[in-house]
Amino acid sequence: MANQLILNTACHLVMGFLGAGKTSFINACIAHFQNQEKWAILVNEAGQIGVDEKLFANNPEHPLAIRQVSGGCICCTSQLPLQIALARLTSEYKPDRLWIEPTGLAHPKELIEQLSAPHWQTALSLKSAISIVNARHWQDARYRDNEGYQSHVRFCDVVVINRFDGLDDSQQAALASWIQALNPHATLIWQSSHRFDEDNLGKLQHALQAPSAVLANRQHYQAFSLMGAAVRSPTRLSPASANPMQQDMDAAADQTLPFRYHDVQNGYQIIGWRLPADWQVDITVLMDWLLAMPHWQRIKSVIHGKPSAWQAMNFTPDSLDLIGCEPQTDNRIEVIFLDDSLTLDVAKLDTELMILFGQLN
């Protein structure tokens, strides 16, 4: 019955390392291509609180259906969270096109193998798998030589290159050669400032219609058992009565605010907070506090600023995006750190944040 409900839904996998620009790419596609189609987005976040869904450009005339799978990479657990989210999203909304945006910490090969399972092949019409490459990241050998970073290029049909304006012609040629050495069959599309020129618009439009070769080549993989592995549970935090933020994840599940969690995944640390919506903060002061954190790799938030403006932050080491947004049900902040061995005084951070929001003197 579920397959009948979601049969032949056009589906895209949009991959890319942390801060590559996956959400910005999907927003550009919304602007260029959504038209009268009903689109749905399944976004997977490494963190527990879910910020990415607030960053999509939702046009009231053509609303999006957005669902989240938070708390770790969907390819690192059983298929159950992915299957439940996809089934609910497609059966309830019945989209014409579905976008899957995994976390930047995802393992593309494992995720592609999951989507190559027979029950997905009969349920979804799998179009081009797209990977986003941030050219500024590529210039840094810590990214370029990292196997996890390279895997996002190896297992895709299309590579979209953004933030390349600072590269000269020889550097752009070297980047293209590096991509082609990892994936000689990939189509390259250059995206400048969230826009595509006419040639690249044509390539992208073709990619939105073309079946995925990388997915088709893996149809022989055996499907993962839905009951064969336990769903990954979040890191538990020890309660501390002196600090109302330091609650365990059971409190988070009950939507008790405020709360904070702290997790380690694939060599990265993640810390996140959810705070009541009526708590307000000076956005500039909060930004300074966040940017002063050591070795951060990604900062995302939706914040109730003073006197009444809500703002969405999407920060990477090479771009700081701050835009107005609609009022939210709560404040959300999430920070991903590059080093899992970094010692973070989370209790001190909790206290400082409470002071910034005027809850402590």
Side-chain angles (χ1 to χ4, degrees):
M1 179 63 69
N3 283 351
Q4 293 177 2
L5 291 173
I6 61 176
L7 184 64
N8 291 327
T9 300
C11 177
H12 299 283
L13 182 62
V14 180
M15 302 172 289
F17 204 67
L18 290 170
K22 299 184 291 295
T23 301
S24 296
F25 169 77
I26 294 176
N27 278 334
C29 289
I30 292 169
H32 283 294
F33 298 115
Q34 186 182 11
N35 299 322
Q36 300 300 314
E37 284 189 336
K38 293 172 63 178
W39 282 14
I41 301 172
L42 176 63
V43 58
N44 170 218
E45 295 193 59
Q48 301 287 344
I49 61 176
V51 177
D52 281 358
E53 67 170 313
K54 313 296 184 183
L55 305 178
F56 289 104
N58 204 339
N59 184 341
E61 295 182 5
H62 306 292
L64 301 167
I66 303 173
R67 297 291 183 273
Q68 292 190 146
V69 177
S70 299
C73 171
I74 50 178
C75 58
C76 295
T77 68
S78 73
Q79 283 192 49
L80 191 56
L82 174 64
Q83 180 161 335
I84 291 173
L86 280 176
R88 288 179 176 172
L89 185 58
T90 51
S91 62
E92 293 173 6
Y93 186 67
K94 297 180 176 62
D96 300 307
R97 193 170 300 274
L98 170 67
W99 299 79
I100 301 175
E101 180 190 327
T103 170
L105 300 180
H107 300 85
K109 180 180 178 182
E110 285 80 355
L111 183 55
I112 285 171
E113 289 177 1
Q114 289 186 11
L115 290 175
S116 301
H119 60 275
W120 293 129
Q121 295 292 329
T122 57
L124 304 173
S125 177
L126 298 166
K127 305 301 182 183
S128 297
I130 300 168
S131 185
I132 314 300
V133 169
N134 181 328
R136 297 174 192 170
H137 287 175
W138 172 81
Q139 291 180 284
D140 187 335
R142 292 177 301 171
Y143 289 90
R144 190 173 59 246
D145 299 337
N146 183 282
E147 178 59 32
Y149 182 82
Q150 293 179 8
S151 68
H152 289 273
V153 175
R154 294 182 190 276
F155 301 100
C156 66
D157 301 290
V158 176
V159 176
V160 175
I161 306 165
N162 64 20
R163 299 175 185 169
F164 60 88
D165 298 342
L167 276 63
D168 60 29
D169 290 345
S170 63
Q171 290 172 318
Q172 291 185 30
L175 171 53
S177 296
W178 179 83
I179 292 171
Q180 290 165 349
L182 293 173
N183 188 344
H185 303 293
T187 298
L188 270 59
I189 296 177
W190 300 80
Q191 179 190 11
S192 178
S193 301
H194 310 308
R195 297 189 302 273
F196 301 94
D197 62 27
E198 289 301 318
D199 180 55
N200 286 323
L201 273 175
K203 289 182 180 179
L204 186 54
Q205 191 163 29
H206 175 75
L208 297 185
Q209 305 302 325
S212 172
V214 70
L215 286 165
N217 289 339
R218 285 167 174 77
Q219 288 185 9
H220 64 279
Y221 279 93
Q222 182 179 1
F224 288 112
S225 169
L226 298 183
M227 304 304 293
V231 176
R232 181 183 177 280
S233 59
T235 298
R236 298 291 294 273
L237 301 177
S238 301
S241 57
N243 186 344
M245 281 190 176
Q246 193 169 343
Q247 303 174 29
D248 67 16
M249 293 306 298
D250 290 336
D254 293 336
Q255 305 298 306
T256 302
L257 300 182
F259 80 80
R260 182 262 301 155
Y261 78 92
H262 183 203
D263 200 1
V264 177
Q265 295 182 32
N266 300 332
Y268 293 80
Q269 287 191 68
I270 308 171
I271 188 168
W273 295 269
R274 284 182 61 199
L275 313 171
D278 59 352
W279 288 17
Q280 293 178 268
V281 68
D282 184 311
I283 293 291
T284 301
V285 174
L286 177 65
M287 286 175 56
D288 289 343
W289 180 75
L290 289 168
L291 293 173
M293 290 186 177
H295 303 294
W296 64 269
Q297 181 66 25
R298 187 75 184 275
I299 298 172
K300 299 179 291 183
S301 70
V302 284
I303 294 297
H304 192 179
K306 294 179 178 178
S308 60
W310 282 84
Q311 300 282 330
M313 297 181 190
N314 187 10
F315 294 172
T316 68
D318 63 323
S319 68
L320 304 177
D321 295 328
L322 180 67
I323 59 173
C325 64
E326 295 297 317
Q328 305 294 317
T329 56
D330 49 38
N331 290 281
R332 300 187 181 196
I333 303 171
E334 196 158 76
V335 185
I336 300 177
F337 297 91
L338 188 61
D339 186 357
D340 64 353
S341 65
L342 179 68
T343 299
L344 294 172
D345 188 341
V346 291
K348 180 174 180 287
L349 293 175
D350 290 345
T351 299
E352 292 173 349
L353 191 59
M354 295 276 277
I355 292 172
L356 291 181
F357 275 86
Q359 302 304 309
L360 292 175
N361 296 322

